[in-house]
Amino acid sequence: MSAWSDGFFSVGDNGNAQVNPTKDRDSGIDIAKVVAHLERKGITFPLLIRFQDVLKGRIEQLYEAFKDALTEVEYGGTYTAVYPIKVNQLHEVVEEILDAGKPLGIGLECGSKAELIAALPLLEDDDTLLICNGYKDSAMLDLILSGQQMGKSVLPVVEKMDEFMSYDSQARAIGLAAPFGVRLRLTTAGAGKWADSGGDQSKFGISVPELLRVVEHLEAHDEQDRFRLLHFHLGSQISDIRTLKRAVREITQVYAQLKRRGLGIRYLDVGGGLGINYGGTYASHDDAINYSLGEYANAIASTVKEVCDAEGVEHPDLISESGRALTAHHSVLIVNSIGLYSKEEAPEDYTPGPDSHRLVADLHALREWLREEPGMAMPQLLEAYHDAAGKRAEADSLFSLGYLPLEEKASIEGLYWAICRTINDRVQTWESEALPPELDRLDSHLIDQCLCDFSVFQSLLDHWAIGQRFPIVPIQRLDEEPTRRAVLVDLTCDSDGKVSSFIGPGHREYEFLHMHEPNPGETYRFGIFLVGAYQDIMGDTHNLFGRVTEAHIYADADEPEGFYVEKIIRGTKVKDMLALVQYFPNDLYNRMSRHIRSKVQSGQLKSSEGYELLERYAETFNDSTYYTAPSTGPTVSGSRKRKVNHE
Ligand SMILES: *Cc1c(COP(=O)(O)O)cnc(C)c1O
C-alpha cells in the first residue's frame, strides 16, 4: 500500500485498511468503520466512498510541487491548475475541487457542450479560468462569448482552422475582440495507451502551417493580443517523463518565436497526462510512471525556463489540466464477496469401493504414492502429473461414449484435482526453479474464484477495456496471513466480467489476489482503490447493473469515529434501469397481473397466492440492481428489507 497510495492509505493497528486524509497515520480513519456506519443507515452495496479531504490533499500536493519547482529554478511566471471535468463530472466532486482549490486559484476545463453548460455557472470569481477544449459548434462558441461578455475568464482553445474562423466572425458580429488559445499538433507523440492524443496522426489540434495563418489573420487586424494561450495535450497517463520534456521543449520553442513576433501569449498550457502510479513501481510501464509529482513540475518549469532564457523572451504563466492526478485517489469502491469457489477435491480419507472403475482405483493409487514420497524430485512429479492428466482424459472420452457413470466421473475429477493440488504445493516451494510449462500452468488452474457483488463494466471499465490494473486489497484482517488465492468474478453474465490481473510487489503481474478464508457469518470485503478518475463516470449498464451507492465522507476529529457522512447518493433502482430501455412499472405490472388473473380463473392459483405473487413482483421495482444479501447484517430479510432500500 505504501508503494501506490502516496501516503493516503495504510493498514491500521487493528488490521483494517485506513485512509489518512492528512497523510498522518495516527489520525487515519478506519475504512471498515465507515462501511459499518453506512450499513447501519441501510445502504446497499457495492459502495463507492469518496474521501473529500483526499481530493483537497491532492490539490495541495500538486500546487506544492509547482511552487517548489518555480522557486527552485527562479521561474518568472505563475502556475495554475485547471480541472478537466470529464475525468469526474459529479457535481460534488467539481464543487469540492473548486472549494479546496479556491485559495490556490484553481480553474476548470471542459471538452463538450454539456460540460461547458455545467461549468459556466460554477465560476464564482471573474478570474477563475475556464478553458474550453473539444470541437465547438456555433452554439458552444456563442456560450463562450456570452461568458466573456459577463466578464468571466472563459478561454476557448481552437482545435481546427474553421473553428477559429467561426469564432472570429461570431465575436466580430457582437463587436468583441475575443481572446482565445490554440491547441497545437506537436511532432512529439505521447507514449502508452493514449499515445494517439498527440503527434502527427492525432485527431486533435492545428498544424504549424495553420497556426501561421491564424497569426497572419490577427496581424492583418492588428489584434495580436487576442492570442492568449498555447496548448498541447499528449494523452492521459504519460508513463515516461522524457516524452513530456520533448513536448514541452517543442511547444516552448513555438511560444518563444510567436512571442518575439509580437503575439500577446500569456499562458503555456501543458494539458493533462500527469500520471498515477497504480502499479507502485517507478517504471515507464502501462500501470506505472517513472516520475514523481515533484519531477513532473521540475521538468516543466526548468525546460520552459531554459528555452525562454535562450530565446530572450519572458516566462509564460503555466497551466496544467491535471485530472487523473487530482481525482484518482479520492474514491474507493467497496465490494462484498458473496461466495468463494474452488475446484472440488476428493476428501483426504477417500477410498474407492471394491467395484469402482479401474481409472478411479488408478488415480487413488497415484495419490497414495505421492503421499508416501514427500521428497519427490521434479522429473517424478512431472511424470505423476502426466499420469493423472492422461487418466482424466481417458475418463472424459469414456464418459462421452457412454461407458462411465456420472458418479465415477465425479470421483475421478475429485482425485485429479487433489493430485494437482499436491503436486503444485510442492513445486511452488521451489521458488528459483524454472518449471516445465504444464506444471507452471497448474498454479493458475488451481486458483479459486471469488464471486463479488459488483459489475466490472459499471465500476472498473478500464480494467475490461484496456487491461488497466487497480490496487485491490481486503479491507479487514490485514494482520492475518491470507491463505486463499482468488480471481474476482462479477455479477454480469459475461465471461469478461472478472478481475484476473493484480498489482503486487515488484514489476510482476499477479494472476490472483491473496485473501483470507472468510469466517462463518463474516462479510468479507475488498477495497478497489484509485478509482476516482474516469471509472466513476464511464461505466456502462451491461446486464442493467446501475450506478452504485455513493457516500461522501469528511474527516472530523471532533466526531467519535473521526469522520462524518456529508451525503449519501442511493444507487440506481431496478425501475430506473428498466426505464432506460423503455420498460415501465405500470405496463409491466398490468401484464403480470393479467397472467396471474388468468391462472386464478383457471384454478391453478388461489386468489390469495396470486395476490402475494403480484405484490412480491411489484416490490422488486424499487430494489437495488445488485445482489441483495439474504439476511446478514443489521437489515432484515424479505419484504421489510425492501422497504429499507427505497427510503
Ligand atoms: C482528458 C484530457 C485531460 C485530462 O487528462 P488527465 O490525464 O486525466 O490529466 C486534459 N486535457 C485534455 C485536453 C483532455 O482531453
Side-chain angles (χ1 to χ4, degrees):
M1 286 176 101
S2 58
W4 52 258
S5 74
D6 268 313
F8 286 111
F9 305 100
S10 60
V11 180
D13 294 337
N14 62 357
N16 289 346
Q18 68 175 36
V19 56
N20 311 313
T22 57
K23 292 208 171 192
D24 170 22
R25 277 204 54 190
D26 294 335
S27 61
I29 302 171
D30 186 331
I31 296 178
K33 276 198 187 141
V34 176
V35 175
H37 179 99
L38 292 163
E39 216 181 1
R40 286 195 294 276
K41 293 186 181 295
I43 57 107
T44 58
F45 290 85
L47 168 67
L48 188 88
I49 311 181
R50 295 188 189 288
F51 294 106
Q52 303 290 60
D53 306 279
V54 173
L55 218 41
K56 179 163 184 253
R58 287 295 290 177
I59 296 171
E60 288 166 358
Q61 272 185 337
L62 179 63
Y63 268 92
E64 196 68 25
F66 269 95
K67 190 173 142 219
D68 291 349
L70 298 190
T71 312
E72 162 108 25
V73 304
E74 297 178 0
Y75 193 83
T78 60
Y79 166 75
T80 306
V82 296
Y83 171 63
I85 70 170
K86 77 155 188 261
V87 178
N88 196 326
Q89 297 101 337
L90 191 80
H91 194 174
E92 285 85 352
V93 170
V94 179
E95 288 279 14
E96 180 60 36
I97 288 177
L98 285 173
D99 263 10
K102 195 177 159 90
L104 300 162
I106 207 165
L108 296 177
E109 186 264 4
C110 60
S112 69
K113 188 160 38 180
E115 287 184 355
L116 171 62
I117 293 167
L120 200 50
L122 300 180
L123 305 174
E124 293 297 337
D125 292 338
D126 287 352
D127 50 5
T128 299
L129 269 177
L130 174 59
I131 309 260
C132 309
N133 285 305
Y135 299 115
K136 298 169 261 308
D137 63 6
S138 68
M140 200 167 160
L141 293 172
D142 257 347
L143 202 54
I144 291 169
L145 291 166
S146 309
Q148 293 178 354
Q149 282 177 303
M150 289 164 60
K152 301 289 176 192
S153 307
V154 188
L155 215 51
V157 175
V158 169
E159 287 269 3
K160 288 272 176 278
M161 195 60 200
D162 49 0
E163 187 177 288
F164 171 70
M165 297 314 290
S166 313
Y167 181 65
D168 192 62
S169 62
Q170 280 174 245
R172 244 168 248 291
I174 53 171
L176 219 58
F180 63 92
V182 168
R183 175 168 185 167
L184 195 61
R185 186 182 298 232
L186 296 184
T187 333
T188 311
K193 287 170 174 154
W194 291 270
D196 288 345
S197 306
D200 282 339
Q201 301 312 318
S202 165
K203 69 175 194 180
F204 308 103
I206 74 170
S207 63
V208 169
E210 288 169 324
L211 175 71
L212 289 178
R213 273 162 53 210
V214 172
V215 169
E216 282 156 15
H217 181 94
L218 294 174
E219 286 169 346
H221 292 87
D222 200 18
E223 290 176 342
Q224 287 89 332
D225 275 350
R226 289 176 59 201
F227 196 142
R228 294 284 165 82
L229 174 148
L230 203 54
H231 168 282
F232 74 90
H233 172 63
L234 280 181
S236 210
Q237 186 74 356
I238 298 171
S239 52
D240 190 345
I241 192 78
R242 288 170 301 183
T243 320
L244 177 76
K245 285 185 187 165
R246 269 202 302 280
V248 171
R249 188 168 292 279
E250 186 182 344
I251 196 133
T252 313
Q253 201 64 48
V254 175
Y255 161 79
Q257 298 203 19
L258 293 181
K259 196 78 186 166
R260 284 222 307 253
R261 192 166 162 162
L263 281 110
I265 309 176
R266 170 175 171 196
Y267 298 112
L268 192 67
D269 179 346
V270 299
L274 171 53
I276 287 288
N277 209 348
Y278 296 97
T281 59
Y282 282 98
S284 68
H285 179 275
D286 282 347
D287 302 306
I289 51 176
N290 67 356
Y291 54 91
S292 63
L293 222 52
E295 186 176 354
Y296 176 82
N298 282 331
I300 293 168
S302 63
T303 309
V304 174
K305 179 188 154 82
E306 193 187 312
V307 175
C308 289
D309 289 354
E311 295 287 326
V313 294
E314 67 186 284
H315 303 166
D317 286 337
L318 299 173
I319 294 177
S320 82
E321 302 172 347
S322 307
R324 183 187 297 273
L326 291 186
T327 55
H329 292 75
H330 91 285
S331 59
V332 181
L333 181 74
I334 306 291
V335 305
N336 291 342
S337 143
I338 47 181
L340 185 58
Y341 305 96
S342 49
K343 300 279 188 318
E344 186 150 326
E345 295 167 26
E348 284 288 323
D349 55 359
Y350 173 83
T351 33
D355 23 272
S356 290
H357 194 273
R358 164 181 59 87
L359 290 170
V360 178
D362 287 355
L363 281 169
H364 177 66
L366 188 56
R367 188 187 196 188
E368 291 296 298
W369 179 54
L370 277 167
R371 253 187 215 155
E372 286 155 18
E373 308 268 342
M376 241 180 230
M378 169 88 78
Q380 284 166 295
L381 282 174
L382 186 60
E383 188 183 345
Y385 172 74
H386 286 154
D387 275 358
K391 306 268 180 216
R392 187 191 180 198
E394 196 185 336
D396 286 345
S397 50
L398 285 179
F399 180 75
S400 303
L401 294 170
Y403 295 123
L404 192 72
L406 200 55
E407 292 76 12
E408 305 274 14
K409 182 173 161 58
S411 306
I412 287 169
E413 285 194 9
L415 285 165
Y416 171 76
W417 287 117
I419 291 169
C420 288
R421 166 87 54 193
T422 308
I423 296 175
N424 190 56
D425 285 351
R426 293 196 197 161
V427 299
Q428 289 303 318
T429 57
W430 305 334
E431 288 209 351
S432 57
E433 224 158 319
L435 294 177
E438 49 275 64
L439 295 191
D440 204 25
R441 266 197 308 273
L442 207 48
D443 197 40
S444 59
H445 292 320
L446 288 163
I447 290 169
D448 301 335
Q449 289 187 336
C450 184
L451 176 61
C452 290
D453 179 20
F454 80 122
S455 157
V456 166
F457 305 93
Q458 174 64 247
S459 298
L460 217 55
L461 196 70
D462 277 342
H463 182 72
W464 169 71
I466 55 169
Q468 167 80 54
R469 295 179 304 157
F470 294 87
I472 303 181
V473 183
I475 61 165
Q476 66 283 303
R477 299 170 63 188
L478 295 169
D479 52 356
E480 279 175 50
E481 187 181 349
T483 52
R484 302 282 295 253
R485 301 172 314 154
V487 297
L488 307 187
V489 296
D490 76 0
L491 291 177
T492 64
C493 305
D494 191 315
S495 55
D496 274 1
K498 65 170 187 227
V499 184
S500 54
S501 159
F502 299 90
I503 283 162
H507 296 272
R508 234 184 93 190
E509 217 170 290
Y510 292 80
E511 290 176 335
F512 56 83
L513 187 69
H514 284 292
M515 63 177 287
H516 306 90
E517 181 79 45
N519 292 323
E522 172 190 25
T523 309
Y524 193 83
R525 300 195 157 112
F526 298 99
I528 307 183
F529 290 81
L530 307 185
V531 292
Y534 300 103
Q535 308 316 301
D536 284 356
I537 201 65
M538 294 197 311
D540 75 16
T541 55
H542 197 4
N543 268 146
L544 298 184
F545 288 108
R547 283 189 70 83
V548 305
T549 303
E550 273 192 40
H552 302 172
I553 306 292
Y554 282 89
D556 185 347
D558 291 339
E559 295 288 333
E561 292 179 307
F563 67 89
Y564 68 91
V565 182
E566 186 245 0
K567 186 169 197 171
I568 292 175
I569 305 174
R570 305 265 163 181
T572 323
K573 292 173 181 174
V574 167
K575 66 177 179 203
D576 302 322
M577 295 312 293
L578 290 177
L580 286 179
V581 282
Q582 301 294 307
Y583 296 86
F584 300 98
N586 267 352
D587 179 47
L588 292 169
Y589 184 88
N590 289 341
R591 284 184 186 228
M592 195 71 174
S593 163
R594 193 151 42 76
H595 292 305
I596 289 177
R597 233 180 305 126
S598 83
K599 298 294 174 191
V600 169
Q601 272 156 14
S602 71
Q604 226 172 304
L605 284 175
K606 284 195 276 191
S607 6
S608 60
E609 287 170 341
Y611 175 77
E612 177 72 12
L613 289 182
L614 192 58
E615 278 306 288
R616 222 184 291 158
Y617 174 71
E619 277 174 358
T620 59
F621 289 137
N622 284 315
D623 258 1
S624 140
T625 56
Y626 291 91
Y627 185 84
T628 312
S631 66
T632 54
T635 47
V636 227
S637 65
S639 55
R640 274 178 49 220
K641 169 150 193 171
R642 294 209 180 84
K643 295 237 170 57
V644 174
N645 288 346
H646 56 81
E647 258 169 13

